[in-house]
Amino acid sequence: MLTQIIAHRGSKGTRPENTLPAFIAAIEDGADGIETDVHLSRDGQLIIMHDELVDRTTNGTGRIVDHTLAELKQLDAGVKYASAYAGTRIPTLDEVVQLLIQYNFTGIFNLEIKTNKIHYEGIEDLVADYFNHHQVPFTLIYSSFYGKSIERLHILQPEVESDSLFKTKVQTAKRLHAQHIVLGYHPDIRWVRVHWLLLPKVQLRPWTVNTERDMRFCYRHRFAGLITDYPGLARRIRKQVQGG
């Protein structure tokens, strides 16, 4: 089996992260999967962005949860990356899903529930309800740094794979794996390089694997996948190491 290439926030290294252009670039680069993040707006809409604040990636300020969808749609999510992307808007979960359907994307869609800093009330139920009412061509995977979100989603949709995210604290991931709530781990690549031999036999998809050295490390050890800002580069390196 080839190590799967998961595009981190789309092709984050070559397009404005978590925007439709980034997801299109990831598909065109041949990524096996797409990783993205979901929050709730003030009016309960599922918003695709990494940070809790809009400040870093848009021309706005403040928390997503303090803005309505209409207010968020007024912000520019591309101009800070490059002037060529001025006018790019913050997408909703539905807009991303419809894009993937349009492109007939059949790989992995890894949705991170961003509840480790703000515990958005009911976000797990809204996400599960969305996918219960939308037929999709791709394989859905949930992940989160917040164990309670994973536990809730496992209750709501036990048929959907869930994976545990962590930087250095593996205890929650081990507990969820022992309880058969998560199938795999999504740890920081820096942690993996030190600890991977000590892990139980789990499916590993480290993040954020951006250097050729780290990519080759993941490919040599045949990890299940890697999460990268540069899916095009990762695909070229994989061909050299694993073929296919």
Side-chain angles (χ1 to χ4, degrees), residues 4-24:
Q4 295 166 320
I5 295 164
I6 315 296
H8 186 227
R9 307 179 207 168
S11 185
K12 176 181 176 289
T14 66
R15 301 290 189 279
E17 66 178 64
N18 276 337
T19 63
L20 298 187
F23 300 128
I24 291 169

Side-chain angles (χ1 to χ4, degrees), residues 8-178:
H8 186 227
R9 307 179 207 168
S11 185
K12 176 181 176 289
T14 66
R15 301 290 189 279
E17 66 178 64
N18 276 337
T19 63
L20 298 187
F23 300 128
I24 291 169
I27 294 168
E28 292 177 343
D29 282 343
D32 303 299
I34 288 171
E35 183 272 349
T36 190
D37 316 272
V38 66
H39 299 258
L40 274 187
S41 65
R42 193 174 79 202
D43 50 348
Q45 300 299 306
L46 294 164
I47 305 299
I48 297 298
M49 185 177 282
H50 178 267
D51 299 1
E52 288 72 20
L53 300 171
V54 301
D55 302 50
R56 180 177 62 85
T57 56
T58 81
N59 61 344
T61 58
R63 302 188 306 172
I64 294 169
V65 72
D66 295 328
H67 293 77
T68 64
L69 174 61
E71 291 167 344
L72 292 167
K73 283 294 187 183
Q74 296 302 310
L75 302 180
D76 192 316
V79 69
K80 280 191 171 181
Y81 182 86
S83 59
Y85 295 100
T88 301
R89 300 302 169 196
I90 300 169
T92 62
L93 174 63
D94 183 59
E95 287 170 332
V96 174
V97 169
Q98 294 308 316
L99 176 79
L100 300 184
I101 292 171
Q102 177 189 337
Y103 276 78
N104 194 33
F105 178 72
T106 57
I108 289 170
F109 183 60
N110 178 188
L111 185 63
E112 180 184 343
I113 316 300
K114 295 292 289 188
T115 43
N116 54 312
K117 293 182 181 178
I118 298 175
H119 302 331
Y120 299 107
E121 185 67 32
I123 189 172
E124 300 89 355
D125 296 65
L126 286 170
V127 167
D129 184 67
Y130 176 86
F131 285 107
N132 282 334
H133 288 89
H134 290 81
Q135 191 170 5
V136 295
F138 49 76
T139 299
L140 178 63
I141 293 176
Y142 295 132
S143 64
S144 183
F145 284 98
Y146 188 51
K148 289 184 179 179
S149 284
I150 292 298
E151 291 171 335
R152 178 63 182 160
L153 283 163
H154 183 69
I155 291 169
L156 294 168
Q157 290 183 295
E159 74 282 1
V160 176
E161 179 183 332
S162 293
D163 293 310
S164 191
L165 278 159
F166 62 92
K167 288 185 179 179
T168 58
K169 295 180 180 178
V170 72
Q171 291 83 358
T172 297
K174 284 184 175 180
R175 176 178 62 80
L176 293 173
H177 185 259

